[in-house]
Amino acid sequence: MREGPDIARIASLVGDPARANMLNALMGGTALTASELALEAGVSLPTASSHLSKLMEGGLLTLASQGRHRYYGLAGPQVAGMIEAITGVAEAVGPKRVRPGPRDGAMRIARVCYDHLAGEQAVAMLDRLVEKDILLRDDREIRLGPSAVSHFSAIGIDVDAKPRRPVCRACLDWSVRRSHLAGTLGAAILDKILLEKWARREKDSRAVVFSPPGKQAFERVFLA
Amino acid sequence: MREGPDIARIASLVGDPARANMLNALMGGTALTASELALEAGVSLPTASSHLSKLMEGGLLTLASQGRHRYYGLAGPQVAGMIEAITGVAEAVGPKRVRPGPRDGAMRIARVCYDHLAGEQAVAMLDRLVEKDILLRDDREIRLGPSAVSHFSAIGIDVDAKPRRPVCRACLDWSVRRSHLAGTLGAAILDKILLEKWARREKDSRAVVFSPPGKQAFERVFLA
DNA sequence: AGAATGCTTCGATGAGGAACGAACTATGCG
DNA sequence: CGCATAGTTCGTTCCTCATCGAAGCATTCT
């Protein structure tokens, strides 16, 4: 009972699955809104709000209010370091990698991350778009390149449509450990993929499964 | 819902106050028995046993059985690092140092740590005993000096009495951040202090309060 | 102004899990 | 062998806290 700082209080904040998912989602470094975090955590908005209050009160998060949006972010690198340390232990003691499993494999290749595509396919797509100078990437930030508007409108995506949210955002991929494309453009691309029936969402999962012709079409449009 | 390793599982293990106290107690590096940890955590033995099972199952602890004693220790430096990281955050976000409070002050000066004395007085005592070469300290280890047996038997403490447990052990003091004396010798000294009525235990607390003459006697014997 | 969106608060429900006493097992001592 | 000590298991009680629906602010769009 050497009662120094209240470590149990902090750890129990991270100890709830919903909160842990939120913190994990914020490990990418970009601040997210309450709704986004609710989706990430897989809970309802009220529940998420309650969790966010607790994380705020616990000093783990910062809040930036912008209009009616409230962006939550990690309170600092110390908090991020703590999450990393916990993740490291969890990885070390949890050799639960019995076998990747078919759905895990599919998840690794392509899955939904909030409203956009994630996984190997998504990372490859962003790489290719940057390579072709359609998008420009500095470190964590992604901007439209000069040919972006014409390129995307040619395939039926209007990049100016929704000026409220950032068009491009980098989102860290847990399976590949590299960024993929988020923001309204990322969302629009996922919409197109599903609309064109190139792929379908796996039931009760975030996995996205491409049909063979769908994959070809996707590669022709985005990876060419 | 980027579901990597199960960080919530690990964090929730640390998130219980009783378990957090146990882990904290083990941060000193020395393995402790279930009973000792129960006392540290301030819970009953069955409760402690249950917590220890969970910590073992979670991979945070190692177990070394020696006869009827079962020594629990941290599973490794990675776990210790995680605890440190959490402690750092807890310290940073919890500047709840409203006021030390009278009892906290007493605790800081002298308190019971399992079966021995801790706090400023205890740290000063160990320093003085080492200074006089009655005890020898290398880093974390403490051994009896050549004059130890005669010195302690002169004041009625038989250092050879109980060969089963280590006679001397260093125990890290949370308030002073330095070691004090544990082990059978530490326990015997605390016994003597209470037996001679130099001090009494505060009700419902670990604080130990010396009477003015008692303090003088203690200083004469151990700090001279 | 009215409507829509983003988010929080309130209230009720429910489940997990922390706690302890009592009983049981295991190791050591005489 | 019997007694004492060290630990675990079991069963019960209890309380916290996670969850969601409904309703309540707040902000922005039209």
Side-chain angles (χ1 to χ4, degrees):
Chain A
M1 212 139 48
R2 301 169 179 81
E3 32 200 285
D6 197 348
I7 130 176
R9 181 175 135 78
I10 301 299
S12 68
L13 281 174
V14 188
D16 178 83
R19 287 194 291 263
N21 281 332
M22 291 175 171
L23 291 168
N24 243 328
L26 292 171
M27 281 296 282
T30 52
L32 299 172
T33 65
S35 326
E36 289 172 320
L37 289 167
L39 276 164
E40 284 285 346
V43 295
S44 73
L45 227 163
T47 302
S49 184
S50 154
H51 284 305
L52 289 169
S53 312
K54 284 169 190 167
L55 289 170
M56 282 296 296
E57 199 182 358
L60 298 189
L61 297 186
T62 55
L63 175 56
S65 287
Q66 283 180 19
R68 64 180 159 185
H69 294 264
R70 315 193 73 184
Y71 286 93
Y72 289 92
L74 292 186
Q78 196 178 24
V79 174
M82 175 185 74
I83 308 279
E84 269 193 17
I86 299 173
T87 306
V89 172
E91 233 165 24
V93 306
K96 311 282 182 190
R97 296 257 164 272
V98 272
R99 66 199 157 95
R103 193 169 52 192
D104 289 357
M107 289 268 287
R108 217 163 264 276
I109 294 171
R111 65 181 179 277
V112 173
C113 179
Y114 179 32
D115 60 356
H116 54 273
L117 196 69
E120 291 169 12
Q121 297 247 33
V123 171
M125 179 183 75
L126 177 57
D127 281 351
R128 190 73 187 107
L129 290 173
V130 170
E131 209 171 288
K132 290 196 287 183
D133 282 330
I134 295 169
L135 297 182
L136 309 173
R137 170 163 52 184
D138 308 323
D139 194 24
R140 280 289 163 93
E141 188 149 32
I142 299 179
R143 301 190 321 278
L144 294 174
S147 60
V149 173
S150 66
H151 180 269
F152 284 112
S153 60
I155 54 177
I157 293 176
D158 187 355
V159 291
D160 294 324
K162 307 171 186 173
R164 309 198 209 146
R165 266 177 59 193
V167 175
C168 300
R169 235 185 50 208
C171 185
L172 197 62
D173 205 297
W174 66 259
S175 55
V176 188
R177 294 274 191 161
R178 297 193 39 218
S179 295
H180 57 249
L181 181 64
T184 56
L185 180 55
I189 291 175
L190 177 61
D191 279 350
K192 181 170 180 67
I193 290 168
L194 297 176
L195 198 68
E196 300 273 359
K197 297 218 189 313
W198 292 345
R200 60 177 175 73
R201 293 204 47 175
E202 194 77 13
K203 180 80 176 166
D204 287 330
S205 159
R206 290 165 51 218
V208 170
V209 182
F210 280 77
S211 68
K215 184 157 191 240
Q216 281 182 17
F218 172 79
E219 288 173 350
R220 191 172 54 244
V221 174
F222 292 109
L223 295 180
Chain B
M1 213 142 37
R2 301 171 179 77
E3 31 200 285
D6 198 349
I7 132 177
R9 180 176 136 79
I10 301 300
S12 69
L13 282 174
V14 188
D16 179 83
R19 286 194 291 262
N21 283 331
M22 291 175 172
L23 291 168
N24 242 326
L26 291 172
M27 280 296 282
T30 51
L32 299 172
T33 66
S35 327
E36 288 171 321
L37 289 167
L39 276 162
E40 285 284 345
V43 294
S44 73
L45 226 162
T47 302
S49 184
S50 156
H51 285 305
L52 289 169
S53 309
K54 284 169 190 167
L55 288 171
M56 283 296 296
E57 198 183 358
L60 299 188
L61 298 185
T62 55
L63 174 57
S65 288
Q66 285 181 16
R68 64 177 161 186
H69 295 264
R70 315 192 73 184
Y71 287 92
Y72 290 92
L74 292 186
Q78 194 178 25
V79 175
M82 175 186 74
I83 307 278
E84 269 193 17
I86 299 172
T87 307
V89 171
E91 234 166 23
V93 305
K96 311 281 181 190
R97 297 256 165 272
V98 272
R99 64 198 159 93
R103 190 170 54 191
D104 289 357
M107 288 269 285
R108 216 163 266 278
I109 294 170
R111 67 181 177 279
V112 173
C113 178
Y114 178 33
D115 61 355
H116 56 272
L117 196 69
E120 292 169 13
Q121 296 246 34
V123 171
M125 179 182 78
L126 176 58
D127 281 350
R128 189 75 186 106
L129 290 173
V130 170
E131 208 171 289
K132 290 196 289 186
D133 282 331
I134 295 168
L135 298 182
L136 309 173
R137 171 164 51 184
D138 308 323
D139 193 24
R140 279 289 164 90
E141 188 148 30
I142 299 179
R143 301 190 321 277
L144 294 174
S147 59
V149 175
S150 66
H151 179 269
F152 285 110
S153 61
I155 55 179
I157 293 176
D158 188 353
V159 290
D160 294 324
K162 307 171 188 174
R164 306 195 213 150
R165 267 176 57 194
V167 175
C168 300
R169 235 187 47 207
C171 183
L172 197 60
D173 204 298
W174 66 260
S175 55
V176 189
R177 295 272 191 158
R178 295 193 39 217
S179 293
H180 56 247
L181 182 65
T184 57
L185 179 55
I189 291 175
L190 177 60
D191 278 350
K192 180 170 181 67
I193 290 168
L194 296 176
L195 197 69
E196 300 274 359
K197 296 218 191 314
W198 291 345
R200 59 177 176 75
R201 292 203 49 175
E202 193 76 13
K203 179 78 174 167
D204 286 331
S205 159
R206 293 165 50 219
V208 170
V209 182
F210 281 76
S211 67
K215 183 156 190 240
Q216 281 181 18
F218 172 78
E219 287 172 351
R220 191 171 56 244
V221 175
F222 292 108
L223 296 179

